Amino acid sequence: MIIKLLPYCLTIRVRPERVFMCAVQDFCMVLNKFRSPTPHVVEDNPVPRIVRAGGLSVPEYREQAYHIVLSVDVGNTTSDCVITGTNLGTGLTYIIDKTVMMFREIRDPKPGESTYGENIDGITISSGAVQDFVAALIRKSVQASGIDLQKDLDLAVYSTGLVKNWEEGSQVNEYLGALAKGCVDAGIPMSKMRPVMSKNSLPTDDREYSMLDKVAYTGYLAGTIPATGLAGDAIVANDMEGDLALAGIKQGALMTPVDLRNPCLGLDFGTILDGRITEAVPRDRDNPYARTNGVIIGLGGAVADAMVRGTGEVDPRTGSARDFFGDAMVSSTFSKHESAKVQDYVDQVMDMMQIEVVLPKSDHFGLVPISPQIAENSGITIIGCDCGEHFSKKGELTKLGAEAYRTLAMKGFTELVDRVNAEMALRIVDVAAQQRLLPEDSAIGFSGRGIMSGRKPEYVVSGMHTRDIYPDPQDRVVFVSSALPRGASLVARCMGSLGNPKRPLGGCRGEACILGRRRKVEGAPR
């Protein structure tokens, strides 16, 4: 092939394959402009297996030092029992089993049982029903996993994100007691529900990795002082959930290039939101723990649930987006721009939403009881998400969902819900940034059914690229499945000082483990 370069009339011989390669490179550059950003996603990875001669295999936890934790969480829509196993040598956590039941499967109160109100979908709750529900959920998971509760299990942890208006404090204690009794009914020994008190109390294979003789458990989690630890009292009704979720997202992020240590934002996008924002710790400060300076509450997946109940395809009272769409994530090579019709419906939904800093005069926001005055006194900003006032526009969402489903059909309606949830998450990030809670060196992690399905992760990352928050948003955002049980697993290991300095969760992004600073400040345990 001969190319003449005028006006110099120089003749240059160019190889055809060189021309072809240049054309391919140009074509790839054009394609990259339309390529979807690939989010960092951590799914429920199973425990690696050891393959023996003859092709037989056994899970690693049968032959290596693993810390196995059973976590049961009773939520507003879904409840799950997740059994996790952490390889103490690598610090990585895997999912041995995850069993999910819908809260609507709980039995009705029996005659004579005392009840204490309803959940957000109007399901009447009694202690006996909760106890039986938890026991059934755990039995299913244990049977599916094949673990021995006596020999294999290290600790069991129970939690709840259930939101309701408790009539009196004694009802909360009664409810938590029902969770504990359900664990015992399922066969979990009481000894597996208490923290270890000394290094010698740990199983023999765990002691090699424990640092209880060097540092004591302080009650802090993943290098962060919980909001309750700062305020001395609960700031939001589902306080524990947010702390566990952030810790679990940090733990899951170890499997990605994203360093999700402090400062960071962690958001569990369940039916109800649980989120935490942490500060950057100055290097010259003696205390190496980060303060919680932001709490996120309010409506999450409940918005999508209300929309799908208008389709006629799910139960109009207790149906959920999970029933309608399932849990699977969808990936695409090329980015997709909203159609005008989808965008119009997205705008209509977002016009109903209030995503803002919660004022000190409020005692509820987005159905969640809060104590904003305590938060203000502790220097903690509460960011809330509501639809109307205490979900007063729930009916309007259902009507809009019905109209959108008729107009857009299944494909368009799916995109609508994905974009609405992604936009809710992005607006929470916007408010946090406006409040200067996201410094330049921070990172963001998401979890929960409301953000871990469909194309929501892709839409969130695309939205982050349009915001002037990070120069490299692709490597500042991570999505982690099963954050709550991962966090529960981390609590169990923290109680035994079973951290891994080579894969630290405490400290700030890009820095070393804070073990040395802790020992200097705290001294040796007594």
Side-chain angles (χ1 to χ4, degrees):
M1 181 179 291
I2 299 176
I3 298 178
K4 289 186 177 181
L5 302 178
L6 299 176
Y8 303 102
C9 297
L10 296 177
T11 301
I12 302 177
R13 294 187 179 276
V14 181
R15 293 180 179 179
E17 59 268 27
R18 175 64 178 166
V19 174
F20 176 75
M21 290 302 297
C22 290
V24 169
Q25 290 174 0
D26 290 343
F27 180 68
C28 289
M29 289 177 64
V30 172
L31 283 182
N32 284 335
K33 294 181 180 180
F34 300 96
R35 194 177 297 276
S36 298
T38 303
H40 294 293
V41 177
V42 180
E43 299 191 66
D44 293 333
N45 299 318
V47 175
R49 300 184 71 86
I50 298 171
V51 181
R52 293 173 173 167
L56 296 176
S57 66
V58 294
E60 268 190 355
Y61 64 81
R62 295 294 182 199
E63 298 189 0
Q64 297 183 14
Y66 260 71
H67 197 70
I68 296 178
V69 176
L70 182 150
S71 168
V72 60
D73 176 68
V74 178
N76 295 280
T77 304
T78 60
S79 299
D80 53 56
C81 180
V82 182
I83 302 172
T84 59
T86 301
N87 185 318
L88 295 179
T90 65
L92 298 178
T93 296
Y94 304 94
I95 307 299
I96 297 174
D97 179 74
K98 180 175 183 177
T99 297
V100 181
M101 291 176 63
M102 305 301 288
F103 189 78
R104 62 173 180 256
E105 297 178 55
I106 194 169
R107 68 165 173 79
D108 293 332
K110 294 179 180 178
E113 283 185 342
S114 61
T115 61
Y116 33 78
E118 302 174 338
N119 80 334
I120 63 174
D121 291 328
I123 298 172
T124 304
I125 307 166
S126 71
S127 290
V130 170
Q131 182 176 335
D132 291 348
F133 180 72
V134 169
L137 177 57
I138 293 173
R139 289 191 191 104
K140 278 189 177 183
S141 184
V142 172
Q143 183 177 9
S145 69
I147 70 162
D148 187 308
L149 293 177
Q150 296 284 349
K151 298 177 181 178
D152 299 326
L153 185 66
D154 288 294
L155 194 72
V157 180
Y158 57 86
S159 61
T160 182
L162 189 69
V163 172
K164 67 177 294 296
N165 292 321
W166 304 99
E167 294 175 5
E168 39 186 86
S170 61
Q171 290 183 337
V172 179
N173 295 329
E174 185 180 353
Y175 175 75
L176 295 175
L179 298 179
K181 289 177 181 177
C183 293
V184 174
D185 288 350
I188 297 175
M190 288 297 296
S191 61
K192 304 288 187 179
M193 298 170 66
R194 303 189 190 102
V196 296
M197 302 306 294
S198 67
K199 189 170 182 176
N200 290 333
S201 303
L202 290 166
T204 305
D205 59 348
D206 287 7
R207 292 174 198 167
E208 176 187 348
Y209 299 94
S210 174
M211 289 170 278
L212 267 178
D213 54 341
K214 297 181 175 63
V215 288
Y217 176 55
T218 59
Y220 303 156
L221 190 56
T224 302
I225 305 173
T228 303
L230 291 168
D233 201 354
I235 293 174
V236 297
N238 49 345
D239 221 15
M240 182 182 178
E241 298 267 299
D243 298 326
L244 290 179
L246 174 60
I249 295 171
K250 285 185 175 185
Q251 192 285 322
L254 292 177
M255 293 185 168
T256 74
V258 179
D259 186 351
L260 195 83
R261 291 183 290 162
N262 306 313
C264 63
L265 181 154
L267 178 61
D268 180 36
F269 205 119
T271 305
I272 298 294
L273 299 175
D274 306 299
R276 295 290 182 271
I277 307 173
T278 66
E279 66 168 357
V281 181
R283 294 194 180 192
D284 58 351
R285 192 169 80 188
D286 289 338
N287 186 343
Y289 296 105
R291 288 172 50 91
T292 297
N293 56 8
V295 170
I296 303 166
I297 62 162
L299 303 177
V303 172
D305 292 344
M307 293 174 66
V308 301
R309 288 171 190 171
T311 64
E313 304 291 341
V314 301
D315 188 286
R317 184 170 73 98
T318 63
S320 71
R322 182 175 184 265
D323 297 328
F324 191 81
F325 299 112
D327 294 324
M329 275 185 287
V330 178
S331 59
S332 176
T333 303
F334 300 109
S335 60
K336 180 179 180 180
H337 297 287
E338 299 140 291
S339 69
K341 287 184 178 179
V342 171
Q343 182 61 57
D344 178 58
Y345 281 116
V346 172
D347 292 342
Q348 288 184 56
V349 174
M350 297 311 298
D351 285 345
M352 298 185 203
M353 305 297 299
Q354 289 80 48
I355 300 175
E356 60 196 24
V357 174
V358 179
L359 300 177
K361 64 182 181 180
S362 307
D363 59 0
H364 282 72
F365 199 94
L367 300 178
V368 180
I370 55 175
S371 301
Q373 195 60 55
I374 295 176
E376 186 178 47
N377 294 341
S378 305
I380 297 173
T381 301
I382 301 179
I383 299 173
C385 180
D386 204 348
C387 184
E389 185 175 355
H390 310 317
F391 211 6
S392 61
K393 293 187 178 180
K394 181 179 179 180
E396 293 181 42
L397 279 176
T398 301
K399 289 180 182 178
L400 187 144
E403 178 189 324
Y405 186 55
R406 287 194 304 269
T407 305
L408 302 174
M410 182 65 179
K411 185 177 180 180
F413 185 73
T414 301
E415 182 186 352
L416 166 63
V417 172
D418 282 354
R419 290 196 180 275
V420 164
N421 284 20
E423 184 63 23
M424 288 168 62
L426 288 166
R427 291 202 185 181
I428 289 168
V429 171
D430 289 341
V431 175
Q434 291 162 8
Q435 296 297 310
R436 300 185 178 180
L437 297 174
L438 292 178
E440 187 178 345
D441 58 341
S442 61
I444 299 173
F446 295 99
S447 187
R449 70 179 181 92
I451 206 70
M452 290 287 295
S453 61
R455 296 182 68 178
K456 301 175 188 73
E458 174 195 326
Y459 294 155
V460 169
V461 174
S462 294
M464 289 299 300
H465 277 278
T466 66
R467 284 157 168 79
D468 189 23
I469 297 176
Y470 302 128
D472 52 347
Q474 187 80 13
D475 295 321
R476 300 295 190 96
V477 181
V478 65
F479 298 82
V480 176
S481 181
S482 302
L484 280 173
R486 290 176 186 273
S489 171
L490 190 58
V491 168
R493 287 191 291 127
C494 284
M495 289 175 178
S497 289
L498 290 166
N500 189 313
K502 294 180 181 178
R503 280 196 167 97
L505 293 170
C508 291
R509 300 181 72 249
E511 296 183 6
C513 177
I514 61 173
L515 178 61
R517 293 173 66 185
R518 284 185 60 188
R519 294 181 67 180
K520 183 179 178 182
V521 173
E522 298 167 12
R526 296 180 180 180

